[in-house]
Amino acid sequence: MAEEQQLRLDLDDLRHLESIAKRPRVLSLLSSEIRDLDAKLSRVTAATAAARQAVVAAEKATVNVDAVNRSYVTLGSFSWDQDNEKIKIYISIEDAEQEKVDTVFKPMSVDVKFHDIHGKNYRFAIPKLNKEILPEKCKLVVKPNKVIVTLVKASKGNWLDLHLTEDKLKRNLDKDKDPMAGIMDLMKNMYEEGDDEMKRTIAKACSDARCGKTADPLKSYP
């Protein structure tokens, strides 16, 4: 940078001298020197630009390597509730910083990555949501001891679960059979065939059960 600046100053002086010179020999010498310095300046400028690009490329490569090698601890404990238009997911995590959280909302998924919390990285993800959301309207807010993820539903109504049913069944294939599975299937059938009041009651029961408010998903069912 210093050499480039000095060359520009030299050229300015030479061009000034050329503008006031009158003798042909002097003009010829000045013109020749100006051409040489101009060519040298072009080489120096190109070398400087190439060096800058190399530095930027190296920095990007370092960031990409760090991202690939970064490991995450899965956050599986959370609670959630909903109204007719939105779903709120409450993730218990302390000392998260908003600027160190990467959130990706898609129509059928949500992926949240927490970086550098006491030297560890954490991740919360739902790869297949129960129904579609509006990514551009969703948001994440960091609190002192928790994170609130707000999902805006693409269509109004109650969700029986956050996960897509087919995806949830697939994830449970390798697990022992859930003794509550029969009851949950019954509730889903009742929800699908019931009126609006029944749907609201069942949806609230499912939400309370996932938040730990009741161990029995049918407890609040009249």
Side-chain angles (χ1 to χ4, degrees):
M1 180 65 71
E3 182 180 7
E4 182 179 344
Q5 184 64 27
Q6 288 300 319
L7 286 172
R8 293 185 185 280
L9 292 174
D10 289 346
L11 279 170
D12 287 343
D13 285 350
L14 286 171
R15 287 186 176 118
H16 174 67
L17 291 174
E18 186 183 35
S19 67
I20 61 176
K22 299 186 181 300
R23 297 183 62 78
R25 179 175 176 78
V26 173
L27 285 170
S28 177
L29 289 171
L30 289 173
S31 178
S32 176
E33 185 66 18
I34 288 173
R35 284 195 301 271
D36 290 343
L37 282 182
D38 207 11
K40 186 175 182 180
L41 177 61
S42 296
R43 292 193 298 270
V44 171
T45 301
T48 301
R52 288 174 180 170
Q53 290 178 355
V55 171
V56 172
E59 290 176 348
K60 287 183 177 179
T62 301
V63 171
N64 290 336
V65 169
D66 289 343
V68 170
N69 295 332
R70 188 176 289 156
S71 60
Y72 294 89
V73 177
T74 300
L75 294 171
S77 178
F78 65 93
S79 62
W80 65 285
D81 60 21
Q82 65 177 313
D83 57 29
N84 206 36
E85 299 179 348
K86 300 186 296 294
I87 285 178
K88 287 192 176 183
I89 303 173
Y90 304 91
I91 306 170
S92 295
I93 186 169
E94 296 185 355
D95 300 326
E97 299 179 36
Q98 189 85 41
E99 61 271 17
K100 293 184 180 181
V101 179
D102 291 335
T103 308
V104 178
F105 294 111
K106 295 182 179 180
M108 285 294 292
S109 67
V110 56
D111 190 359
V112 185
K113 295 178 180 178
F114 304 90
H115 297 132
D116 193 22
I117 300 179
H118 304 300
K120 291 185 177 182
N121 305 307
Y122 297 85
R123 186 177 187 179
F124 170 84
I126 302 178
K128 291 184 180 179
L129 289 165
N130 189 279
K131 297 180 182 179
E132 287 193 13
I133 59 174
L134 301 175
E136 68 278 5
K137 294 185 178 181
C138 298
K139 65 179 181 179
L140 178 144
V141 177
V142 175
K143 300 288 186 180
N145 59 354
K146 65 182 175 183
V147 168
I148 303 174
V149 180
T150 301
L151 306 179
V152 179
K153 300 174 182 178
S155 57
K156 296 180 180 180
N158 286 306
W159 290 18
L160 283 178
D161 203 338
L162 286 178
H163 298 270
L164 181 67
T165 303
E166 294 177 358
D167 184 56
K168 190 168 186 179
L169 288 174
K170 184 183 294 184
R171 290 185 293 107
N172 288 336
L173 284 177
D174 297 331
K175 298 181 180 179
D176 293 334
K177 183 174 177 61
D178 184 357
M180 296 298 293
I183 295 177
M184 293 304 296
D185 289 340
L186 175 63
M187 290 181 66
K188 289 177 182 179
N189 290 333
M190 293 171 64
Y191 179 87
E192 291 173 356
E193 298 175 2
D195 57 18
D196 290 343
E197 181 63 29
M198 180 178 289
K199 289 181 178 180
R200 285 194 294 269
T201 302
I202 294 175
K204 185 177 185 302
C206 291
S207 179
D208 288 348
R210 283 166 178 76
C211 292
K213 296 179 182 178
T214 172
D216 183 0
L218 289 177
K219 186 174 180 180
S220 62
Y221 183 73

